[in-house]
Amino acid sequence: AQSVAQPEDQVNVAEGNPLTVKCTYSVSGNPYLFWYVQYPNRGLQFLLKYITGDNLVKGSYGFEAEFNKSQTSFHLKKPSALVSDSALYFCAVRVPNAGNNRKLIWGLGTSLAVNP
Amino acid sequence: KAGVTQTPRYLIKTRGQQVTLSCSPISGHRSVSWYQQTPGQGLQFLFEYFSETQRNKGNFPGRFSGRQFSNSRSEMNVSTLELGDSALYLCASSPGQGPYNEQFFGPGTRLTVL
């Protein structure tokens, strides 16, 4: 079965330190990978995506993510965390050309807390 | 451009009732997807519409249904509500049907079933 895993329910990091939110996937074929963020009492917002090309993709608010095909991972990173980055982060995968099964597959989310 | 709008924002219903939620996508977006978000289950995909046709469906019972109109606005209906249907229902739109398109989410409708 195709799946996405976010192995950490919660990540705590001090402001100014680098942060990593992990995502691994298990899908057939070459996936399209996405990160979304949900701030408290606000809707989900798109952060970045990997479709093809350079394995390191840059997105909104200084976030970036690295696609690692051999490890089937797509970890979200930021060099210096801000308190305002505290939110719920979701990884999602879509398998292209999968016919009727091309829906987005979502991880369960990782709650990021950045401490001042 | 205005974002995705969802109405109503909050709903309180009792078991056995039915409910209709509405979603207006971003102007020009023809694809609309619906999700159920609960703390324990994350985002569960309900269905996806493109040009008034349901293109994909999640694993929800037949009590959950939806439709899309010619102006791309979409509605979802839940009949015979159960306590477990209490959740945040999110609508998302995207410009087309391509798998590489990101989705733009509305603020959600918070449904509480008593």
Side-chain angles (χ1 to χ4, degrees):
Chain A
Q2 308 196 90
S3 63
V4 174
Q6 293 181 241
E8 299 157 319
D9 291 337
Q10 179 146 351
V11 170
N12 294 292
V13 64
E15 187 174 30
N17 282 0
L19 69 87
T20 298
V21 183
K22 296 180 180 178
C23 172
T24 59
Y25 61 90
S26 174
V27 300
S28 56
N30 294 318
Y32 294 159
L33 297 148
F34 301 81
W35 275 102
Y36 288 81
V37 59
Q38 188 173 35
Y39 296 103
N41 300 315
R42 290 168 62 180
L44 277 158
Q45 297 177 32
F46 167 75
L47 269 180
L48 50 77
K49 65 182 176 183
Y50 172 82
I51 303 301
T52 187
D54 193 350
N55 289 344
L56 184 66
V57 294
K58 295 186 183 296
S60 307
Y61 312 120
F63 284 92
E64 58 188 30
E66 185 168 13
F67 171 60
N68 188 318
K69 187 173 184 177
S70 63
Q71 297 187 2
T72 61
S73 67
F74 189 54
H75 299 333
L76 181 70
K77 300 181 179 184
K78 187 173 182 181
S80 179
L82 300 172
V83 172
S84 57
D85 293 330
S86 299
L88 190 57
Y89 290 81
F90 290 93
C91 179
V93 177
R94 196 195 295 261
V95 181
N97 304 320
N100 291 330
N101 197 30
R102 52 185 296 283
K103 60 183 180 287
L104 267 175
I105 305 168
W106 293 80
L108 291 181
T110 298
S111 179
L112 172 67
V114 181
N115 307 306
Chain B
K1 276 186 181 178
V4 177
T5 58
Q6 293 186 245
T7 57
R9 292 292 311 278
Y10 302 91
L11 266 179
I12 299 176
K13 293 284 187 179
T14 55
R15 278 185 302 172
Q17 287 186 308
Q18 77 164 18
V19 66
T20 298
L21 311 182
S22 181
C23 171
S24 293
I26 291 173
S27 177
H29 286 194
R30 296 169 62 193
S31 177
V32 173
S33 297
W34 286 90
Y35 296 90
Q36 182 194 66
Q37 185 179 16
T38 56
Q41 299 294 320
L43 269 82
Q44 300 291 310
F45 170 75
L46 281 155
F47 19 68
E48 177 185 12
Y49 288 89
F50 181 80
S51 293
E52 302 179 66
T53 301
Q54 188 180 87
R55 300 291 181 168
N56 219 330
K57 190 176 189 301
N59 298 321
F60 277 80
R63 300 185 296 109
F64 292 81
S65 63
R67 58 178 176 169
Q68 186 180 33
F69 303 96
S70 58
N71 61 358
S72 294
R73 191 177 69 85
S74 178
E75 288 181 348
M76 67 163 281
N77 183 276
V78 188
S79 63
T80 320
L81 284 166
E82 300 177 358
L83 294 179
D85 297 333
S86 295
L88 180 66
Y89 289 87
L90 294 168
C91 169
S93 74
S94 58
Q97 215 184 348
Y100 40 79
N101 288 319
E102 60 266 30
Q103 294 188 327
F104 297 80
F105 284 81
T109 295
R110 174 75 63 185
L111 173 64
T112 302
V113 182
L114 303 175

